[in-house]
Amino acid sequence: MNTFADAAGIAGRQFETPVLLKEGTRLLEPDVYRTLVKGRVAVVKDYSRYRRTPLAPLARLLVRREARALGRLRDWAHAPMLLGIVGGLALAMEFVPGEPLGAQRRVSEDTFRQLRGALAHLHANGITHNDLHPANVMVSGDRVVLLDFASALRVPRWMRNAPVVRELRRSDLANALKIEQRLTGRAPGEFVSQVLADPRWVTAVRDGWKRFYRGFKATFGG
Ligand SMILES: Nc1ncnc2c1ncn2[C@@H]1O[C@H](COP(=O)(O)OP(=O)(O)OP(=O)(O)O)[C@@H](O)[C@H]1O
Ligand SMILES: [Mg+2]
């Protein structure tokens, strides 16, 4: 748990004892903890356990990708503020106090409205989140914050109408609608049902990816 502070070379000075929020157990999953960075409460996504392993370059890439995504969304209320990369394998960001979506007894309509609005803003800027589920949406008072931009993708303007990019947007929207449906119990209307239905080619690609991932995991362990 000291790896982040060690990498920064400032252990014991600017850090409090880290509080583990989520332990990385699966392949290329970071340890996520809350700590103090330069006097402010921060969250650190830490891949240091991959240091000096064959997966270190991939872990660095994940850190850089998420940092780049958060950097692009700086000053946007619906993403945590990026604090920086430390030692190549850890990413520090603003700690968003609150509860993940669904942990509250009643989720307000405004929360869903903000979630849809946030997604529309991302998509209008050529970004897809690609990992939208309740644990990656933090409700902090009146503020809804999307977390976990490790899988996010930004495509240049000329690619934004490519079928695969349209599918990523559809899939983000489908995930948001599924969350809303699950938490409200509302039956989907015709438009929503259409959005929720996976095109056949998507199912084929997804199955192919799952097979690849299982093979990758069997080779490298996890
Ligand atoms: N900025 C933040 N503020 C508050 N809590 C956070 C923050 N970032 C992450 N968390 C908490 O830590 C949990 C795990 O973080 P995150 O979703 O980014 O990691 P992950 O799912 O393990 O990562 P990945 O999908 O990149 O492997 C979140 O579900 C949330 O509860
Ligand atoms: Mg997550």
Side-chain angles (χ1 to χ4, degrees):
M1 283 300 292
N2 290 325
T3 43
F4 176 70
D6 291 346
I10 45 182
R13 211 152 32 93
Q14 285 156 305
F15 290 82
E16 64 169 2
T17 311
V19 176
L20 190 65
L21 300 177
K22 186 176 172 205
E23 189 176 6
T25 47
R26 289 187 307 163
L27 188 66
L28 283 169
E29 232 182 25
D31 291 324
V32 183
Y33 50 91
R34 192 186 73 212
T35 187
L36 277 187
V37 176
K38 295 181 184 156
R40 60 187 296 174
V41 190
V43 164
V44 172
K45 287 182 77 165
D46 188 356
Y47 295 82
S48 302
R49 72 179 190 279
Y50 289 107
R51 197 177 295 285
R52 285 184 277 279
T53 72
L55 290 178
L58 264 180
R60 281 177 202 278
L61 186 70
L62 288 176
V63 169
R64 277 205 303 272
R65 287 188 80 257
E66 187 158 7
R68 208 176 310 135
L70 291 181
R72 284 201 180 100
L73 297 169
R74 199 177 275 284
D75 298 328
W76 188 49
H78 301 291
M81 192 174 70
L82 172 70
L83 297 178
I85 294 179
V86 181
L89 286 169
L91 175 73
M93 70 187 89
E94 167 198 3
F95 170 70
V96 181
E99 285 183 312
L101 187 57
Q104 309 81 355
R105 200 135 36 96
R106 207 188 138 269
V107 184
S108 71
E109 282 302 319
D110 183 60
T111 299
F112 295 125
R113 194 187 52 74
Q114 284 195 52
L115 177 58
R116 288 193 301 262
L119 217 46
H121 174 90
L122 283 183
H123 291 177
N125 284 280
I127 301 170
T128 48
H129 183 280
N130 304 326
D131 193 16
L132 204 62
H133 55 80
N136 285 343
V137 181
M138 196 60 104
V139 181
S140 180
D142 290 339
R143 179 182 172 210
V144 173
V145 181
L146 305 184
L147 302 175
D148 202 352
F149 284 82
S151 316
L153 193 72
R154 182 177 178 271
V155 293
R157 203 171 284 278
W158 62 268
M159 268 185 69
R160 291 185 189 165
N161 262 328
V164 71
V165 178
R166 288 215 307 263
E167 168 51 27
L168 290 176
R169 285 197 296 268
R170 188 203 63 82
S171 171
D172 267 356
L173 186 57
N175 286 336
L177 293 172
K178 274 183 210 158
I179 294 173
E180 189 167 333
Q181 222 179 293
R182 192 162 355 125
L183 296 180
T184 60
R186 278 199 291 261
E190 198 181 325
F191 168 73
V192 172
S193 302
Q194 270 173 24
V195 172
L196 293 181
D198 284 341
R200 214 166 328 144
W201 69 271
V202 171
T203 313
V205 171
R206 186 175 299 134
D207 290 350
W209 165 251
K210 276 187 194 154
R211 274 197 299 277
F212 167 79
Y213 181 71
R214 272 199 293 269
F216 184 78
K217 233 179 139 177
T219 310
F220 291 102

